[in-house]
Structures are given as structure tokens and as C-alpha cells.
Amino acid sequence: MERSPHITVHDLAVRYGDYVVMHDVSFTVRRGDVFVIMGGSGSGKSTLLNTMIGLVEPATGEVLYDRKSFTRAAPHERREMSRRFGVLFQFGALWSGLTLAENVALPLEQLTHLGRREIRDLAELKLDLVGLGDFTEFYPDQISGGMQKRAGLARAMALDPEILFFDEPSSGLDPVNARRLDDLIIELRDSLNTTIVVVSHDLASIFATANDGIYLDARRKTVTAWGDPKELRRHPPDRHVQAFLTRTADEESP
Amino acid sequence: MEGTSSSPPSLTLTRPAPGALLLELGGTWQVGEATPPAALVEGEIDAGHPDHVRFDTRAVVAWDSALVSFAARVSTSARTAGATVDRGGLPDGVQRLLVLVDATPAQRAAADNRPASALARIGLRALARRDTVNHVLVAIGELTVALGKLVIGRAKFRRGDLSLQMQSTGVRALGIVSLVNGLVGLIIAFISAVQLQSFGATLYVANLTGIAMVRELGAVMTAIIVAGRTGAAFAAELGTMRVTQEIDALTTLGLSPVEYLVLPRVVAVTLMMPLLCVYAGLVGVLGGAVVGVGVIHTPPQLYFDQTIHAVSLTDLFGGIVKATTYGLLVGAAGCFMGLRAGRSAAAVGKAATSAVVAGIVLVIVACGLYAVVFYRLGL
């Protein structure tokens, strides 16, 4: 399998005013990886993801897809590039005024030249894939949080993206549903060779799905470990990573 | 703790030896009781400079967070003053909780939250003003581009959204528009009737009411209603969509929130306002007729002839032009306040308030400008 770099994050720094959220963040995600962004609360995991998808502008550094800069791209090029990735937001972020089928159909309606019938079929297929085939006419507020998340995934997959971003996919899900989502992630990677970037602090899900990842340290505000999480657990580079990956309380020393 | 009845909390400060301070606590140390303030002890520490602070709580009947908070404050101020604190005399539970309090690392605030000095505040205000001006200019630019795309038929939004918005901003507003404009027509007719009676010219009530409603007030009153109804709704809706990341979801798909969300709303309200304005003028005239016919007994036929005679097409078109402008202003203010809202419930509320205030202010300012322009043009 071709394992070329798919996403490159180069010397990224993010600031809100004078406050540095992170600095000197560099890593690459290879094609077909399930790449996890780990870190404790407040370490900037979600901010990093938002920077990668263009919702937050970095202070310095850049994000490249297939060696082409996304950060420095002109707005229309950026729109073109962003159609190649799908995003599952932490709480699904379904459009509340639309039914599930309409939610999944909207990207297809707006960004492709497919006919009404084809769009309808594709939307139903994607909802079937996530097990929501019976709920196509439901509105987001009529279904549970876990179902909203799966519907969000169906929408993220609408345009058959090359890259899928997941923001805390298992948060708010019970263990069984969280595991189902993990299986779905692996299935997507294997069947479509999708590159997957996951923000997570759910250890079970990290070890079950990821084959590469970084650890963002909340104190040092940068990447302190990069590698396969299972490998990092065996050979942690420092005690914070070790504490995170083995779920032991990280004793604070002055 | 087999306290008989609730006895009031007590505190006695003694100095059993030079350099030692003993705090003897007794009674019920619970929230809601009049527990002695820690400041009392702090004052004593500052004055006496003890080396050693000790507690005696054998007389305490019952305790809760009140005692923990008291002990924590005393410990902190004693340590800052350089004294050692012996917590051995405190109840076991309190000691354990105090260990937790000490173990919690002082969370360094992300940003310095201390209030800035007056000079810095003025500077920050000025910078915020500049940002606002920038935002307004960007908003105008974005809306212009989106409208341009609409004209050449390349704007991306759901056509269904437009009709839905037209329905909710136009049709659903008919009730309140009727009520308010009917009453305004009635009030104007009453006022003018009283004034014109002294000249015996009550017939001209029809002229005054007709011109006022069709030319000015129909548009202004309707715009104010729409600002409160639709402008606030736009801001709250888009603000909430920001909180739930629905707008982020659009952006990451490469869809423009301005085209997709703002355009159908602004176009809907801009199209509906002139229609509502014509309707408002009509209802206003009817309201005036109630007074003209019912109270001052002008024959109905005469009243309407007089109205039709007085109100020119120029007045009607003037009203329509104004209403269209007001619709655009109210809709744009509502949408952009929503898009720029912060990501919290309070921020959405603030956005809705700002949308109404900005909408009404813009309408009144535009109304003033139109008055000058129309006067200059001799219309």
C-alpha cells in the first residue's frame, strides 16, 4: 500500500491574542492512517483539528494536503480542497432545520451535479451504512445523541472524502455504541482507504483504532510524543504520556 | 456528633504561650449560621505576628463547608505571615478536605482577568470600535458579493429556504402589522380631528391620516415590528447555529454561510417589507376611517374620496422604496449579529438584543436621511 504523506502540519502555532494555545507543532499523517490526536483537557486538541480544517487560522506555520498548502491557499482553492475532507463534529452539528436525509443530501445538492433521484439514493445509502436507514425523515432533535453522531458521520461521508476528521467521536456515547463507532472507523479505513484523523482521550478507542498519533502536552503546549499509541505505551517518552496512556494519576511535582 | 440542639458557633482566640495562637471553636459551624469571619483571625495574625497557629475544635457540635472554608483561609493567611499551622486539632474530615484543597494546583488563568487600568480600558474600547467598523465593512462586502451572485444566478442556497423565510417574515407578521398600524392610524386621526375641529376642517383628517400612513408611518412602524420579530429571530437562529457548530459544518464543506444562510433571509425580508408596507398603509387608513366615519361623522364615501384625492402615487412609491431599504437593513443587521455572536447562550441573547437595537437605529437614521432627500427632490 502506498504510504505517502497525506497531511503535513509544519511548525504550527496558534494564538488567541497574547495567549499561546500551541507552538512548534509538526507532524505528518500518511495516507490510510488512523491518526489520533491525544492529550488531556485543555491541551488544544480540538483547536488543532479546527486549524487543520481551516476554522481557526494559525499564527505561524501551515497545513499541507498532498504537499499543497491549505493555509496559504486562495479562498476558492481552499473551498476546493476542503471538499476532499469530511468532518464529524463533537456534537454532530447536524442542521437542525433539515431531516437526516436532507442533511446528508445537502452537500451533494450544493456541490455536485447529480440528479434528485441519485442524491436521494446516495443519502439513503450513507444513512444505511451508519444504521439509520429507518430514520431518514426524522429531524435531528427527534433522535438520540448517539444517533445524531452517526448521522453526522453519514453527512461527513456524503462526498466520499479522502480524509475524515473526528472530534471526540466517543464522547457522550455509551461503551457499546462507542465501540460500534470504532468498528465503523476501521471499516471505513479498510474499505475506502480513507485517511482518518481522530481527536480523542478515550483510551479503549485509541488502542482499538489508531496506528499513529501525537500527544499534545497541556503544560508545554506542544507535541511531546509522536508514534503508534501502543508503541508509546510500551516506551513512553515522558511520565505525562505514560500517565495518559496507562491511566495512572499523573502526580504533580513542583 | 450528637449535638443536642443547634448552638451558635463560637470562636475564642487565646495566646497560651508567647508566639502561639490558639483558636478555640465551638457550636454549630455550618453554612447559614452566623459563623465568625476569618478576617477576625487574620487581623489577630497581622497584629500579633504569631509563629504558631493551632485549632481546638472539641466543642464543635456540627460542621460543614463553613468550617473548611474558615480553616483554609486562616491557614493561608497564617502561612503568608510566616507562621506554622497545626491542623491536628481540626476534625478528621476537615483535615482530609484541606489536604485536597492544598493539592489542587493553582490553575493559572489562561488570560489575565484582572480589570485593566482606566487608560488601558479606553484603549481597548477604541480598538474594539475599530474592529466593529471592520466587521461592518466586511459584512457589507460579503452581502454585496452574495447579492451579485444571486443576480447572476450562481448563489448557492436552497430555494425552499427562501419561500419558507418569506412565509415566516411576511405572512406570519400580518396579524401584528394590522394591529399596530390600525391603531396608529386611529391615533393620528384622533389627534388631527381635535386640532382640525377648531378650524372646522375635520374633513382633512382623511388627508393627514392617509399621507402619514402611506408615506412614512406604515413603513417605519412595520420596520420596527419586523426588527423586533424577524431581526431578533435571525440573530438568535444564526447565533445558535454557531454554538452548535452548524455554521462550522457549512464552512468546512466549502459553502459560504453568507450565501447559504444570510442571503435567503435578507432577500426574503427585503421582498416582504414593501408588501407589508402597502398593507400597513391600507390598514392605517382604515383605522383612521373608524374615527373619521364613526366619531366625527364624515360620510364614508366622502372620507375615502378625500383620502384617494390626498394620497398621491408618489407617496405610495416613496413608502415602498423606504420599506425596501428598511427591510434590507433590518435583515442584514439581524443576520450579521447572529453570525458574529459568541459561542454561549448569553452571547446569543446579546446578539438578539443587538440585532433589534441596531435594526431600529438603522431604520430611524435611514428614515431621517430619506426625509432630507425627499425634501430636496421636492417629492
Side-chain angles (χ1 to χ4, degrees):
Chain A
M1 191 163 65
E2 168 74 4
R3 305 280 278 150
S4 57
H6 202 177
I7 312 170
T8 311
V9 172
H10 184 68
D11 269 342
L12 204 70
V14 180
R15 277 193 225 115
Y16 290 134
D18 290 337
Y19 178 65
V20 179
V21 183
M22 66 187 82
H23 60 86
D24 296 314
V25 172
S26 296
F27 59 91
T28 54
V29 179
R30 291 159 303 180
R31 199 170 282 277
D33 267 352
V34 176
F35 189 96
V36 63
I37 298 171
M38 302 174 276
S41 306
S43 58
K45 301 184 295 286
S46 293
T47 306
L48 175 56
L49 183 127
N50 285 339
T51 314
M52 290 170 78
I53 60 180
L55 292 176
V56 173
E57 291 306 314
T60 56
E62 58 182 331
V63 180
L64 303 96
Y65 290 95
D66 283 326
R67 299 199 175 84
K68 190 170 182 303
S69 179
F70 177 68
T71 312
R72 303 198 203 298
H76 67 97
E77 284 178 307
R78 215 182 226 223
R79 274 201 293 279
E80 210 54 57
M81 288 170 90
S82 63
R83 278 167 207 177
R84 299 207 310 247
F85 51 72
V87 185
L88 171 59
F89 290 95
Q90 191 168 355
F91 301 103
L94 294 170
W95 295 303
S96 41
L98 306 180
T99 64
L100 297 195
E102 288 171 336
N103 260 282
V104 182
L106 183 96
L108 296 163
E109 277 168 17
Q110 300 294 335
L111 303 172
T112 67
H113 298 290
L114 296 172
R116 215 171 245 285
R117 182 74 235 158
E118 287 161 291
I119 288 176
R120 180 82 211 171
D121 288 347
L122 276 174
E124 277 171 10
L125 168 75
K126 303 287 170 176
L127 284 167
D128 278 336
L129 276 179
V130 296
L132 290 174
D134 295 336
F135 295 90
T136 51
E137 298 312 313
F138 279 62
Y139 283 90
D141 59 357
Q142 296 171 318
I143 58 176
S144 74
M147 286 156 89
Q148 287 184 14
K149 260 191 164 161
R150 279 188 281 153
L153 177 57
R155 185 183 66 188
M157 296 191 308
L159 294 169
D160 289 321
E162 295 168 29
I163 308 168
L164 272 172
F165 290 94
F166 291 77
D167 194 357
E168 309 261 6
S170 47
S171 80
L173 295 189
D174 62 86
V176 177
N177 271 314
R179 179 44 50 92
R180 275 205 198 122
L181 201 61
D182 289 347
D183 293 344
L184 201 56
I185 292 175
I186 297 174
E187 198 57 51
L188 287 174
R189 196 260 321 259
D190 292 346
S191 55
L192 299 166
N193 196 26
T194 314
T195 304
I196 290 166
V197 178
V198 189
V199 165
S200 183
H201 52 221
D202 176 359
L203 282 185
S205 144
I206 289 172
F207 293 127
T209 58
N211 66 334
D212 200 3
I214 52 165
Y215 179 83
L216 273 179
D217 192 296
R219 299 165 194 82
R220 292 172 53 193
K221 308 201 176 303
T222 188
V223 175
T224 54
W226 176 12
D228 184 340
K230 291 178 275 293
E231 212 40 55
L232 288 176
R233 178 169 52 174
R234 273 193 289 277
H235 308 290
D238 66 37
R239 62 192 172 79
H240 300 303
V241 177
Q242 179 179 23
F244 182 87
L245 288 173
T246 55
R247 268 183 94 170
T248 49
D250 187 2
E251 290 299 327
E252 192 79 19
S253 58
Chain B
M1 282 178 230
E2 64 265 89
T4 45
S5 68
S6 72
S7 48
S10 66
L11 169 69
T12 328
L13 303 178
T14 50
R15 298 180 157 279
L21 178 65
L22 175 64
L23 312 179
E24 281 176 286
L25 281 64
T28 318
W29 277 73
Q30 282 178 335
V31 175
E33 298 283 342
T35 51
L40 212 71
V41 185
E42 284 167 351
E44 181 66 25
I45 291 170
D46 285 343
H49 298 294
D51 308 319
H52 190 69
V53 178
R54 211 145 55 74
F55 295 90
D56 181 352
T57 57
R58 276 170 296 183
V60 169
V61 183
W63 60 270
D64 64 7
S65 303
L67 179 56
V68 182
S69 139
F70 173 84
R73 264 192 74 180
V74 170
S75 303
T76 314
S77 44
R79 283 203 198 110
T80 356
T84 54
V85 182
D86 178 8
R87 290 172 181 164
L90 287 166
D92 217 27
V94 177
Q95 289 186 43
R96 284 209 298 270
L97 288 172
L98 285 176
V99 169
L100 282 184
V101 172
D102 290 345
T104 311
Q107 292 276 345
R108 279 174 294 278
D112 200 343
N113 271 337
R114 270 176 311 175
S117 70
L119 205 59
R121 279 207 302 275
I122 294 171
L124 289 173
R125 278 274 180 85
L127 289 176
R129 271 295 131 73
R130 196 192 60 186
D131 286 351
T132 312
V133 171
N134 278 346
H135 282 157
V136 170
L137 291 177
V138 168
I140 293 172
E142 285 178 332
L143 190 60
T144 311
V145 170
L147 284 171
K149 280 190 173 174
L150 179 72
V151 170
I152 59 171
R154 284 181 51 191
K156 285 191 159 64
F157 65 90
R158 286 164 64 95
R159 301 296 181 267
D161 272 3
L162 181 61
S163 44
L164 214 71
Q165 292 297 341
M166 282 167 76
Q167 191 188 348
S168 68
T169 57
V171 181
R172 299 248 169 89
L174 283 178
I176 181 134
V177 167
S178 312
L179 178 73
V180 170
N181 285 291
L183 287 175
V184 169
L186 196 118
I187 292 163
I188 292 175
F190 261 124
I191 296 173
S192 38
V194 171
Q195 299 305 316
L196 292 172
Q197 235 154 21
S198 42
F199 304 106
T202 46
L203 183 57
Y204 287 94
V205 167
N207 298 43
L208 261 171
T209 315
I211 293 175
M213 287 313 298
V214 172
R215 189 186 166 115
E216 292 287 348
L217 289 175
V220 172
M221 295 314 294
T222 310
I224 289 173
I225 295 167
V226 169
R229 229 185 136 260
T230 309
F234 286 174
E237 199 179 353
L238 298 196
T240 309
M241 289 182 81
R242 233 177 94 73
V243 175
T244 55
Q245 289 195 294
E246 287 175 54
I247 289 179
D248 287 348
L250 280 175
T251 312
T252 52
L253 277 171
L255 293 172
S256 152
V258 174
E259 264 177 59
Y260 188 79
L261 297 170
V262 175
L263 198 58
R265 286 173 173 77
V266 170
V267 168
V269 72
T270 311
L271 290 179
M272 293 321 283
M273 263 302 290
L275 298 183
L276 284 176
C277 167
V278 171
Y279 174 76
L282 187 68
V283 176
V285 167
L286 284 176
V290 169
V291 175
V293 175
V295 181
I296 52 177
H297 306 296
T298 315
Q301 188 59 47
L302 183 59
Y303 189 92
F304 283 107
D305 281 348
Q306 189 70 19
T307 305
I308 288 166
H309 221 74
V311 180
S312 66
L313 269 184
T314 317
D315 292 329
L316 183 66
F317 285 127
I320 289 176
V321 168
K322 287 175 197 170
T324 313
T325 317
Y326 302 159
L328 181 69
L329 292 172
V330 165
C335 287
F336 283 101
M337 289 298 176
L339 277 189
R340 306 263 181 270
R343 293 181 185 270
S344 70
V348 173
K350 226 167 100 179
T353 311
S354 320
V356 176
V357 172
I360 292 176
V361 168
L362 285 171
V363 165
I364 301 295
V365 170
C367 183
L369 288 177
Y370 268 127
V372 174
V373 171
F374 277 42
Y375 177 74
R376 282 280 175 197
L377 292 176
L379 292 174

